[in-house]
Amino acid sequence: MAHTTFTPEGHKTESFRLLSGHKIPAVGLGTWQSGSQASHAVFTALVEGGYRHIDTAWEYGDQNEVGQGMKRAIHAGIERRDLFVTSKLWCTELSPERVRPALLNTLQELQSDYLDLFLIHWPFRLREGASRPPKAGDVLEFDMEGVWREMEKLVKDNLVRSIGVCNFTITKLNKLLGFAELIPSVCQMEMHPGWRNDKMLQLCRMNGIHVTAYSPLGSQEGGRDLIHDQTVERIAKKLNKTPGQVLVKWGLQRGTSVIPKSSNPERIKENIKVFDWVIPDQDFEALSSISDQKRVMDGEDMFVDKSEGPFRSVADLWDHED
Ligand code: NDP
């Protein structure tokens, strides 16, 4: 259930309570492919948009810029303790002894003493210097239990407040739940009306795991153009909202937090104006019935090696569950 609060500047906002006891703001700013604009985007989001949640990752290559944007916002009067900052452990660091050094490097890049949320980025370990697509020997065995134990220690040592995973399947999440001392607080997954991913949402709900929807607008160039989808456009027009706002709101009404990316100041501010209206049931159902269901982020270019394996197809990556 979402809780409504107000930022000191009077922006209405919502958050969800995590298993860790901490709260995650319902809308966060995505920063993948923000590049050199990340600093300005983060500053605009925090100071002008009323965001308190930033999603980044070492792999995005923009953590220094994200850190600069946060620092400027803190100078402008925003308190670090009111921010919720997420980063992710990249695939080359998926072995127990590499977890803590990777986190410390991320903290340094972000100029922060702690992270609010640290996620396993993808459940596949890559050799350092792996090519895209991978060559033989690039995709290595992943010691999920050993890595998770190290993630748990980061929480015990107050370096990280909550931990979680991304891009997991039912099979992988059940495996993790079999040995986890700390159950993941968050599962971050691709979710939008073109890829509802209902089965994973259901499993997370049953276990009290909060879900964050990534690529909520259908992602970037080469993704799914939901902004111009007929159903989305029709409902946006009817509600006098933009397609972006309708897509963000759809995710919120499913009980997920949502992390739209934008580096455009107007769209950053637009995407979070979603707290004082609702999508009526009938329209919500129409958005939830779009028939062409397909992932954008299928992981093929990063992890599939058709001839050598260990994953020879996209279906292999997703444990043949789709
Ligand atoms: P989104 O679905 O958020 O879409 C971003 C694209 O939509 C950009 O091209 C952006 O352009 C454009 N856009 C933003 N707002 C609007 C609007 N109101 N109207 C029209 N167009 C708009 O894509 P992402 O794939 O970036 O996903 C969001 C975030 O999720 C990422 O940035 C990242 O933080 C996270 N993520 C996590 C993954 C994981 O493996 N855990 C994988 C992928 C994403 P512009 O900037 O010009 O506004």
Side-chain angles (χ1 to χ4, degrees):
M1 202 186 80
H3 307 268
T4 303
T5 44
F6 289 86
T7 66
E9 302 79 37
H11 293 286
K12 195 174 176 188
T13 180
E14 284 179 10
S15 59
F16 296 96
R17 181 76 67 185
L18 302 177
L19 282 176
S20 60
H22 297 284
K23 284 198 282 188
I24 185 168
V27 177
L29 180 75
T31 63
W32 180 43
Q33 297 189 352
S34 289
S36 60
Q37 292 172 302
S39 172
H40 188 57
V42 167
F43 180 80
T44 304
L46 297 177
V47 174
E48 294 177 28
Y51 288 65
R52 291 295 178 267
H53 172 178
I54 306 292
D55 184 88
T56 188
W58 175 82
E59 204 261 338
Y60 302 163
D62 58 10
Q63 289 194 140
N64 284 309
E65 288 76 12
V66 169
Q68 282 160 19
M70 279 165 37
K71 196 172 174 185
R72 284 172 55 214
I74 289 167
H75 277 151
I78 287 173
E79 307 252 15
R80 170 64 184 93
R81 65 163 182 261
D82 293 332
L83 299 184
F84 189 100
V85 183
T86 302
S87 185
K88 313 184 190 92
L89 180 68
W90 184 239
C91 303
T92 49
E93 315 306 301
L94 276 190
S95 60
E97 74 286 358
R98 297 184 81 133
V99 173
R100 186 168 296 233
L103 182 266
L104 293 176
N105 177 56
T106 276
L107 291 181
Q108 197 178 23
E109 291 191 354
L110 291 171
Q111 302 184 54
S112 193
D113 298 334
Y114 67 94
L115 274 186
D116 295 276
L117 178 63
F118 198 35
L119 302 170
I120 291 178
H121 203 151
W122 285 86
F124 309 106
R125 185 174 158 219
L126 290 177
R127 189 180 60 77
E128 219 168 323
S131 19
R132 275 187 201 188
K135 295 201 188 86
D138 278 351
V139 182
L140 306 169
E141 198 145 313
F142 165 35
D143 171 9
M144 191 194 285
E145 182 167 356
V147 166
W148 193 250
R149 290 280 170 262
E150 291 302 313
M151 301 276 286
E152 292 175 331
K153 281 186 204 154
L154 298 177
V155 177
K156 287 176 192 138
D157 293 345
N158 289 323
L159 289 165
V160 164
R161 297 219 159 136
S162 306
I163 49 177
V165 299
C166 306
N167 300 307
F168 265 42
T169 56
I170 293 173
T171 308
K172 293 187 180 81
L173 188 55
N174 278 330
K175 178 175 169 185
L176 180 64
L177 292 175
F179 57 70
E181 283 171 18
L182 282 183
I183 292 183
S185 283
V186 173
C187 186
Q188 186 179 117
M189 287 174 289
E190 178 178 342
M191 277 189 184
H192 43 70
W195 180 249
R196 292 189 297 275
N197 213 342
D198 285 324
K199 286 187 277 185
M200 276 300 286
L201 183 59
Q202 185 63 16
L203 177 66
C204 288
R205 277 192 189 138
M206 275 162 47
N207 287 282
I209 300 169
H210 174 75
V211 171
T212 298
Y214 79 61
S215 303
L217 312 177
S219 199
Q220 322 216 7
E221 225 182 302
R224 174 94 177 245
D225 186 7
L226 291 170
I227 295 287
H228 298 100
D229 177 275
Q230 273 184 5
T231 308
V232 176
E233 277 187 331
R234 174 179 62 75
I235 292 169
K237 203 169 171 194
K238 176 181 159 190
L239 301 179
N240 201 18
K241 301 293 170 194
T242 68
Q245 289 169 328
V246 166
L247 291 164
V248 171
K249 189 71 185 184
W250 178 82
L252 298 184
Q253 286 185 212
R254 293 175 99 208
T256 67
S257 52
V258 184
I259 47 172
K261 175 266 173 184
S262 181
S263 39
N264 172 291
E266 293 319 310
R267 288 192 285 276
I268 289 172
K269 288 182 259 180
E270 168 189 322
N271 290 342
I272 199 169
K273 288 187 183 138
V274 287
F275 296 122
D276 52 5
W277 53 281
V278 289
I279 302 174
D281 287 350
Q282 197 188 354
D283 298 324
F284 182 83
E285 284 311 317
L287 290 166
S288 305
S289 312
I290 291 179
S291 55
D292 182 17
Q293 293 292 302
K294 199 170 179 310
R295 294 177 191 279
V296 174
M297 301 290 158
D298 62 13
E300 179 167 16
D301 61 327
M302 291 184 282
F303 309 115
V304 172
D305 181 341
K306 285 181 182 139
S307 51
E308 302 290 336
F311 304 104
R312 290 171 194 269
S313 66
V314 168
D316 278 355
L317 295 178
W318 300 97
D319 296 319
H320 298 262
E321 290 177 6
D322 299 342

